[in-house]
Amino acid sequence: MQRFLIIGSGLIGRLTAWRLIQAGHAVTILSADNKVGTDSAGFIAASMIAPFTEAVTADRSIRDMGIQSQAMWNKWLAELDTPVFYPKTGTLVVAHEGDKAELARYQRRAEHILEPADYQQIDRQQLQNLSPELAEKFSSALYFAEESCLDNRQFYQQVGEFLTEHADWKTIEPIESLTTETLEILCKQTLGYSLDQFSSVIDCRGNGSKADISDLRGVRGEVLRVYAPEVNLQQCVRLMHPRYPLYLAPRPDHQYVIGATVIESEDRSPVSVRSAMELLSALYSIHKGFAEARVLEMQAHCRPALPDHLPTIRQQEWGYQLNGFYRHGYLLGPVMVDQLLTKLSEQTDSGVRYAS
């Protein structure tokens, strides 16, 4: 059994700690966020496991890594004592008649990036059979049957309870920069023992690591959560639009998470009026039942991104930085955590220790 120190308790910190404990290791977590996780981007996200639709707007590597992550989600979620909402009903990509050029452009990109078996084009009758309420507004769709989403709030709660029981989890002030010296001081002051008690330190602070990762930046996203008792959409939905393409992810009890905005800004202020109007207008255009929906939340957060919009594992003298997940935290988190655990296993097998 090895002992690891994890800095940060957002999605990636929780995933890393959970998998290390499940592998038989001891874990200490130090985090500036509360145990609910309300200050993390992963707590707000739509949490769609969408390797194909995400790859269309990125590249093939998102598809391939996403498929691996999806298999891990299937296995890992089955280990939780209480099931997490995880419908495997697919994604429907649609566009209004006036925006069919956007859908055609998206399909051409899909043909270039994906495999033919990854999706199918369906007509109104097929859409009627699959999602009757969408068929009232749309005459066709692209259907990605193997995609899914999960309830991020349920997941945070379940894994948070597990970590509260099985990890040494302490709340600290935000850490501006991680070095061997600052970590040694932090361990002695907070834990009462030295850094060399840990086999490795894993930095999962997301945007909190900006002082240590020069090419890391925050990308703002704005998300709504609504309660819509008149709506019964089962699939994730992506609405193509020239200005604000929208995504919608279902939650239990007629709740839906809606987002669209990707803004090159590190502003964490509340959702703007313009964004709210565009999101709500697009939402209503999908289903008339959203007219009487109740807005439960409007939140904004900044997702940590690197120049290539892909996550990375970077080695330091004290351990590893796991960062740069951009909008792919839930999609690529498992495969990156699995890669990290492989590196940690190789480190142990070789007798290497990064903590001095």
Side-chain angles (χ1 to χ4, degrees):
M1 181 182 73
Q2 302 293 310
R3 181 180 295 275
F4 295 97
L5 175 61
I6 295 176
I7 312 294
S9 62
L11 172 63
I12 303 305
R14 286 171 194 248
L15 276 175
T16 304
W18 180 34
R19 301 323 301 171
L20 282 169
I21 292 170
Q22 291 292 70
H25 301 296
V27 169
T28 296
I29 302 169
L30 299 179
S31 174
D33 197 3
N34 57 48
K35 291 187 178 182
V36 178
T38 53
D39 194 42
S40 74
F43 186 79
I44 297 172
S47 51
M48 299 190 304
I49 317 299
F52 310 109
T53 51
E54 282 295 310
V56 174
T57 55
D59 59 46
R60 175 77 180 208
S61 65
I62 298 295
R63 173 197 181 273
D64 297 342
M65 290 191 295
I67 290 173
Q68 295 177 53
S69 276
Q70 194 169 44
M72 293 175 193
W73 276 121
N74 294 338
K75 178 182 177 181
W76 293 357
L77 291 175
E79 298 175 5
L80 294 173
D81 292 336
T82 303
V84 169
F85 179 78
Y86 183 50
K88 302 175 185 178
T89 49
T91 299
L92 287 163
V93 180
V94 296
H96 294 294
E97 290 301 320
D99 300 323
K100 282 297 182 69
E102 296 297 320
L103 185 60
R105 188 177 297 112
Y106 187 90
Q107 184 170 359
R108 288 194 296 271
R109 178 73 176 168
E111 291 170 352
H112 176 69
I113 295 291
L114 304 178
E115 297 293 326
D118 292 341
Y119 70 100
Q120 60 179 310
Q121 186 174 9
I122 61 176
D123 58 24
R124 187 187 292 275
Q125 184 56 57
Q126 292 170 307
L127 183 58
Q128 173 72 31
N129 296 336
L130 187 64
S131 182
E133 296 182 13
L134 276 184
E136 295 179 11
K137 290 273 191 176
F138 303 98
S139 60
S140 64
L142 300 179
Y143 180 44
F144 298 77
E146 298 303 315
E147 295 195 336
S148 54
C149 64
L150 62 84
D151 188 327
N152 53 331
R153 303 287 173 84
Q154 289 184 2
F155 177 74
Y156 262 52
Q157 179 180 352
Q158 291 298 315
V159 175
E161 290 174 355
F162 175 89
L163 296 177
T164 297
E165 180 179 354
H166 296 284
D168 181 13
W169 189 343
K170 298 184 183 300
T171 302
I172 59 172
E173 293 297 315
I175 303 171
E176 183 174 345
S177 180
L178 288 183
T179 65
T180 300
E181 291 74 20
T182 60
L183 282 167
E184 187 67 65
I185 294 171
L186 182 67
C187 287
K188 288 182 178 178
Q189 291 182 347
T190 305
L191 303 174
Y193 46 82
S194 64
L195 179 61
D196 62 11
Q197 299 297 308
F198 298 102
S199 298
S200 188
V201 178
I202 302 142
D203 179 11
C204 301
R205 290 176 295 154
N207 286 314
S209 299
K210 282 189 61 182
D212 298 319
I213 303 177
S214 61
D215 53 350
L216 186 70
R217 74 189 194 283
V219 179
R220 178 179 170 95
E222 297 170 327
V223 176
L224 276 64
R225 183 178 290 253
V226 302
Y227 168 63
E230 297 181 19
V231 180
N232 292 284
L233 297 177
Q234 304 300 313
Q235 292 81 18
C236 293
V237 178
R238 291 181 185 251
L239 175 67
M240 295 293 101
H241 189 279
R243 294 196 310 278
Y244 42 90
L246 173 143
Y247 58 79
L248 178 153
R251 292 292 189 268
D253 303 321
H254 297 279
Q255 291 190 25
Y256 299 88
V257 176
I258 302 98
T261 52
V262 177
I263 303 170
E264 286 292 340
S265 169
E266 298 185 346
D267 178 17
R268 283 283 305 275
S269 64
V271 175
S272 69
V273 170
R274 176 180 177 178
S275 293
M277 290 176 62
E278 290 182 343
L279 282 169
L280 292 171
S281 175
L283 180 62
Y284 175 66
S285 77
I286 290 176
H287 192 300
K288 63 183 181 182
F290 283 117
E292 293 302 319
R294 296 299 183 256
V295 178
L296 303 178
E297 296 177 15
M298 285 189 180
Q299 297 203 53
H301 210 291
C302 291
R303 295 162 284 198
L306 294 166
D308 61 1
H309 290 161
L310 293 174
T312 186
I313 301 171
R314 297 184 180 181
Q315 183 176 319
Q316 302 295 334
E317 62 178 4
W318 40 260
Y320 294 94
Q321 296 165 324
L322 187 54
N323 214 318
F325 283 85
Y326 185 47
R327 54 186 287 161
H328 305 132
Y330 284 90
L331 178 58
L332 301 184
V335 71
M336 295 302 295
V337 168
D338 188 64
Q339 289 180 20
L340 174 66
L341 265 62
T342 298
K343 290 180 180 291
L344 293 172
S345 176
E346 293 170 351
Q347 162 191 317
T348 302
D349 292 343
S350 65
V352 176
R353 290 169 62 87
Y354 292 106
S356 60

Tab-separated table of all heavy atoms in Angstrom, residues 270-289:
chain	number	residue	atom	x	y	z
A	270	PRO	N	-21.856	36.422	-12.325
A	270	PRO	CA	-23.090	35.723	-12.699
A	270	PRO	C	-23.376	35.756	-14.198
A	270	PRO	O	-22.780	36.532	-14.957
A	270	PRO	CB	-24.166	36.475	-11.910
A	270	PRO	CG	-23.442	37.042	-10.731
A	270	PRO	CD	-22.086	37.407	-11.245
A	271	VAL	N	-24.319	34.904	-14.616
A	271	VAL	CA	-24.707	34.790	-16.021
A	271	VAL	C	-25.206	36.132	-16.544
A	271	VAL	O	-25.985	36.825	-15.876
A	271	VAL	CB	-25.807	33.713	-16.185
A	271	VAL	CG1	-26.309	33.657	-17.621
A	271	VAL	CG2	-25.274	32.356	-15.741
A	272	SER	N	-24.779	36.492	-17.750
A	272	SER	CA	-25.188	37.759	-18.335
A	272	SER	C	-26.629	37.689	-18.836
A	272	SER	O	-27.156	36.612	-19.128
A	272	SER	CB	-24.263	38.128	-19.498
A	272	SER	OG	-24.456	37.237	-20.587
A	273	VAL	N	-27.268	38.854	-18.950
A	273	VAL	CA	-28.630	38.916	-19.479
A	273	VAL	C	-28.664	38.381	-20.904
A	273	VAL	O	-29.563	37.617	-21.281
A	273	VAL	CB	-29.149	40.369	-19.431
A	273	VAL	CG1	-30.459	40.508	-20.199
A	273	VAL	CG2	-29.343	40.802	-17.985
A	274	ARG	N	-27.682	38.770	-21.711
A	274	ARG	CA	-27.654	38.301	-23.104
A	274	ARG	C	-27.599	36.782	-23.179
A	274	ARG	O	-28.368	36.166	-23.927
A	274	ARG	CB	-26.451	38.906	-23.828
A	274	ARG	CG	-26.282	38.402	-25.259
A	274	ARG	CD	-25.078	39.036	-25.925
A	274	ARG	NE	-24.879	38.498	-27.267
A	274	ARG	CZ	-23.922	38.900	-28.088
A	274	ARG	NH1	-23.086	39.842	-27.713
A	274	ARG	NH2	-23.800	38.359	-29.290
A	275	SER	N	-26.693	36.175	-22.416
A	275	SER	CA	-26.575	34.717	-22.445
A	275	SER	C	-27.857	34.051	-21.961
A	275	SER	O	-28.309	33.064	-22.529
A	275	SER	CB	-25.398	34.260	-21.589
A	275	SER	OG	-24.172	34.665	-22.150
A	276	ALA	N	-28.438	34.611	-20.883
A	276	ALA	CA	-29.670	34.026	-20.358
A	276	ALA	C	-30.789	34.092	-21.389
A	276	ALA	O	-31.530	33.120	-21.589
A	276	ALA	CB	-30.083	34.744	-19.078
A	277	MET	N	-30.923	35.228	-22.076
A	277	MET	CA	-31.972	35.369	-23.082
A	277	MET	C	-31.769	34.402	-24.240
A	277	MET	O	-32.718	33.774	-24.720
A	277	MET	CB	-32.003	36.816	-23.595
A	277	MET	CG	-32.522	37.824	-22.573
A	277	MET	SD	-32.439	39.527	-23.162
A	277	MET	CE	-33.544	39.439	-24.581
A	278	GLU	N	-30.536	34.250	-24.692
A	278	GLU	CA	-30.260	33.351	-25.814
A	278	GLU	C	-30.494	31.899	-25.424
A	278	GLU	O	-31.091	31.126	-26.186
A	278	GLU	CB	-28.831	33.567	-26.307
A	278	GLU	CG	-28.630	34.908	-26.997
A	278	GLU	CD	-27.221	35.089	-27.527
A	278	GLU	OE1	-26.319	34.346	-27.090
A	278	GLU	OE2	-27.022	35.973	-28.375
A	279	LEU	N	-30.030	31.531	-24.237
A	279	LEU	CA	-30.226	30.159	-23.778
A	279	LEU	C	-31.708	29.835	-23.624
A	279	LEU	O	-32.182	28.786	-24.078
A	279	LEU	CB	-29.506	29.934	-22.450
A	279	LEU	CG	-27.992	29.729	-22.490
A	279	LEU	CD1	-27.412	29.780	-21.092
A	279	LEU	CD2	-27.642	28.411	-23.153
A	280	LEU	N	-32.436	30.721	-22.994
A	280	LEU	CA	-33.856	30.461	-22.760
A	280	LEU	C	-34.649	30.484	-24.060
A	280	LEU	O	-35.588	29.690	-24.235
A	280	LEU	CB	-34.402	31.480	-21.764
A	280	LEU	CG	-33.865	31.345	-20.336
A	280	LEU	CD1	-34.282	32.531	-19.486
A	280	LEU	CD2	-34.325	30.040	-19.699
A	281	SER	N	-34.302	31.384	-24.968
A	281	SER	CA	-34.984	31.428	-26.259
A	281	SER	C	-34.745	30.141	-27.034
A	281	SER	O	-35.679	29.553	-27.601
A	281	SER	CB	-34.494	32.632	-27.059
A	281	SER	OG	-35.061	32.634	-28.352
A	282	ALA	N	-33.493	29.683	-27.067
A	282	ALA	CA	-33.180	28.439	-27.768
A	282	ALA	C	-33.853	27.250	-27.096
A	282	ALA	O	-34.344	26.335	-27.765
A	282	ALA	CB	-31.667	28.240	-27.817
A	283	LEU	N	-33.903	27.267	-25.775
A	283	LEU	CA	-34.542	26.180	-25.043
A	283	LEU	C	-36.026	26.089	-25.387
A	283	LEU	O	-36.549	25.007	-25.671
A	283	LEU	CB	-34.357	26.401	-23.545
A	283	LEU	CG	-34.955	25.356	-22.614
A	283	LEU	CD1	-34.309	24.004	-22.850
A	283	LEU	CD2	-34.788	25.786	-21.158
A	284	TYR	N	-36.705	27.224	-25.393
A	284	TYR	CA	-38.129	27.240	-25.718
A	284	TYR	C	-38.376	26.774	-27.152
A	284	TYR	O	-39.394	26.150	-27.456
A	284	TYR	CB	-38.692	28.645	-25.516
A	284	TYR	CG	-40.132	28.796	-25.946
A	284	TYR	CD1	-41.152	28.116	-25.282
A	284	TYR	CD2	-40.477	29.599	-27.028
A	284	TYR	CE1	-42.474	28.238	-25.681
A	284	TYR	CE2	-41.796	29.730	-27.431
A	284	TYR	CZ	-42.788	29.043	-26.756
A	284	TYR	OH	-44.094	29.158	-27.153
A	285	SER	N	-37.421	27.040	-28.048
A	285	SER	CA	-37.586	26.630	-29.440
A	285	SER	C	-37.507	25.117	-29.619
A	285	SER	O	-37.939	24.579	-30.629
A	285	SER	CB	-36.535	27.309	-30.327
A	285	SER	OG	-35.259	26.699	-30.194
A	286	ILE	N	-36.962	24.421	-28.639
A	286	ILE	CA	-36.865	22.960	-28.708
A	286	ILE	C	-38.190	22.310	-28.340
A	286	ILE	O	-38.614	21.331	-28.957
A	286	ILE	CB	-35.741	22.455	-27.766
A	286	ILE	CG1	-34.372	22.860	-28.322
A	286	ILE	CG2	-35.806	20.937	-27.597
A	286	ILE	CD1	-33.223	22.481	-27.411
A	287	HIS	N	-38.857	22.861	-27.332
A	287	HIS	CA	-40.080	22.244	-26.819
A	287	HIS	C	-40.919	23.323	-26.156
A	287	HIS	O	-40.435	24.046	-25.272
A	287	HIS	CB	-39.711	21.152	-25.809
A	287	HIS	CG	-40.830	20.255	-25.410
A	287	HIS	ND1	-41.982	20.706	-24.798
A	287	HIS	CD2	-40.971	18.900	-25.519
A	287	HIS	CE1	-42.782	19.677	-24.549
A	287	HIS	NE2	-42.195	18.572	-24.976
A	288	LYS	N	-42.164	23.433	-26.544
A	288	LYS	CA	-43.030	24.478	-25.989
A	288	LYS	C	-43.274	24.297	-24.497
A	288	LYS	O	-43.623	25.253	-23.791
A	288	LYS	CB	-44.355	24.510	-26.732
A	288	LYS	CG	-45.179	23.228	-26.602
A	288	LYS	CD	-46.461	23.299	-27.425
A	288	LYS	CE	-47.288	22.021	-27.277
A	288	LYS	NZ	-48.512	22.073	-28.117
A	289	GLY	N	-43.085	23.081	-23.987
A	289	GLY	CA	-43.276	22.835	-22.559
A	289	GLY	C	-42.278	23.577	-21.688
A	289	GLY	O	-42.509	23.760	-20.488
